[in-house]
Amino acid sequence: MSSRELVVLGTAGQAPTRTRNHNGYLLRWDGTSVLFDPGEGIQRQMLHAGVSSPRIERICVTHRHNDHCLGIPGVLNRMAQDAPGRSVTLHGPADAAVHLRNLAIVAQAQVQVEVVGVPELDELVPVADVAGAHLSARALDHRVPAIGYRLAEPPGTTFSAAALAAAGISGPDVGRLQREGELRGVRLADVSTTRPGQVFAFVMDTRVCPAIGEVVADADLAVLECTYAHRDVDLARTRGHLTARQAGEIAARAGVRTLLLTHFSRRYDTAELGREARDAVAALGGSTLVHVAQDLDVVPLPTRAARG
């Protein structure tokens, strides 16, 4: 099992259907888990997916509309059953902080809950550290204040065993070389390659705006809503959403490696939305892979190769 993967708990926009639950996305990242936008019914979806609630350390909400956060009381109660007395942090735009606190109060769960409001700024702002990666957020453009999330791992270093041996460097000296950048005339670049950090991005309800590109730039896996087909682009703009074509274009231009489409209106066949996004990527000459999410999908983050 991959140590970094996204479990799709629900894919419906606004209202669930017979085959799609309300929103919900759990990111497993190096032994910890972050739950994004848990809508109603997510506690049951977690059981179907085999998701362990004690590993959830943070719940990140993009905005205060209930299809993106009404599952919080149930999730907190599940946590209280599985690991009483534990703590969890709820993140969301500052506009949603009171609503999130009220949802935590409704739960009346034996869980220590901290609600942290994120400023809705036109730049990426730090939110938290997640297992060594940096979680940040940026304001988007919806009918209420909304933010998108970006989780970025710092670049790493991959050493060449042969190069280290040839240079006569071993044991504690390897760590010293990494910290100082040079040791006894040997440069770090002489015996290692740079491994780019992985990037995960999460964007829900928003109109097209430049901020989306900044949130998803160079992401290995980007989750984008595509509530509408492009034939209904005027409706999407009015209601503050993306079309599948727009999602594909944004991902291609931003260099996204894998695009996960979700948050579907029940008026569409999701296969149509997938075709529309793939056609948009192809028209721009992009290489983004497009995946149409289904409930209970498990999507691994693509690995990154080292580069010299």
Side-chain angles (χ1 to χ4, degrees):
M1 179 182 294
S2 170
S3 62
R4 295 180 181 178
E5 61 189 11
L6 186 75
V7 182
V8 180
L9 300 172
T11 58
Q14 188 177 27
T17 71
R18 291 180 182 272
T19 58
R20 295 198 293 273
N21 196 79
H22 260 156
N23 273 294
Y25 312 86
L26 182 119
L27 179 67
R28 290 176 170 142
W29 186 281
D30 294 355
T32 189
S33 295
V34 181
L35 181 62
F36 291 88
D37 276 12
E40 187 178 358
I42 289 303
Q43 182 184 183
R44 186 168 183 270
Q45 293 294 94
M46 288 168 60
L47 292 173
H48 283 303
V51 168
S52 174
S53 70
R55 291 188 180 272
I56 299 173
E57 295 184 0
R58 302 181 188 279
I59 301 175
C60 294
V61 173
T62 58
H63 62 293
R64 58 179 160 82
H65 284 160
N66 282 330
D67 57 323
H68 294 260
C69 59
L70 203 57
I72 287 174
V75 171
L76 294 180
N77 274 284
R78 182 70 194 183
M79 289 180 173
Q81 293 178 32
D82 293 343
R86 58 153 306 156
S87 62
V88 65
T89 303
L90 300 184
H91 299 283
D95 169 81
V98 171
H99 189 51
L100 296 180
R101 289 190 185 97
N102 288 337
L103 289 172
I105 291 169
V106 166
Q108 295 185 333
Q110 293 181 349
V111 177
Q112 299 175 34
V113 180
E114 180 184 10
V115 177
V116 178
V118 179
E120 302 111 8
L121 300 180
D122 292 331
E123 61 183 6
L124 285 168
V125 297
V127 174
D129 286 335
V130 177
H134 305 307
L135 181 66
S136 57
R138 194 192 195 290
L140 300 176
D141 181 14
H142 191 43
R143 289 174 291 144
V144 300
I147 56 177
Y149 291 95
R150 177 181 176 87
L151 183 64
E153 175 188 35
T157 300
T158 300
F159 283 99
S160 166
L164 286 171
I169 296 176
S170 62
D173 282 345
V174 176
R176 183 180 170 191
L177 173 61
Q178 186 168 14
R179 290 190 303 272
E180 299 179 6
E182 187 173 347
L183 182 65
R184 299 194 297 271
V186 178
R187 298 173 305 166
L188 180 62
D190 296 333
V191 295
S192 68
T193 54
T194 300
R195 184 184 66 255
Q198 286 184 310
V199 176
F200 169 79
F202 186 81
V203 171
M204 282 291 112
D205 301 13
T206 181
R207 299 176 181 88
V208 172
C209 61
I212 306 173
E214 185 175 353
V215 173
V216 307
D218 198 31
D220 296 283
L221 177 62
V223 180
L224 267 71
E225 67 114 325
C226 65
T227 309
Y228 295 99
H230 204 71
R231 64 176 182 271
D232 295 318
V233 64
D234 291 339
L235 187 59
R237 185 182 305 109
T238 299
R239 297 188 177 177
H241 289 285
L242 298 177
T243 69
R245 182 194 299 181
Q246 290 169 338
E249 291 172 344
I250 290 167
R253 290 183 175 124
V256 170
R257 297 181 67 193
T258 298
L259 166 63
L260 184 73
L261 298 175
T262 188
H263 197 274
F264 309 118
S265 168
R266 54 188 171 180
R267 72 188 69 194
Y268 304 110
D269 178 348
T270 58
E272 173 192 354
L273 300 177
R275 287 192 298 270
E276 184 172 284
R278 292 186 186 99
D279 288 346
V281 171
L284 291 173
S287 59
T288 302
L289 298 177
V290 177
H291 181 78
V292 179
Q294 298 184 45
D295 286 27
L296 306 185
D297 275 352
V298 178
V299 184
L301 267 75
T303 57
R304 289 198 171 190
R307 62 189 180 204

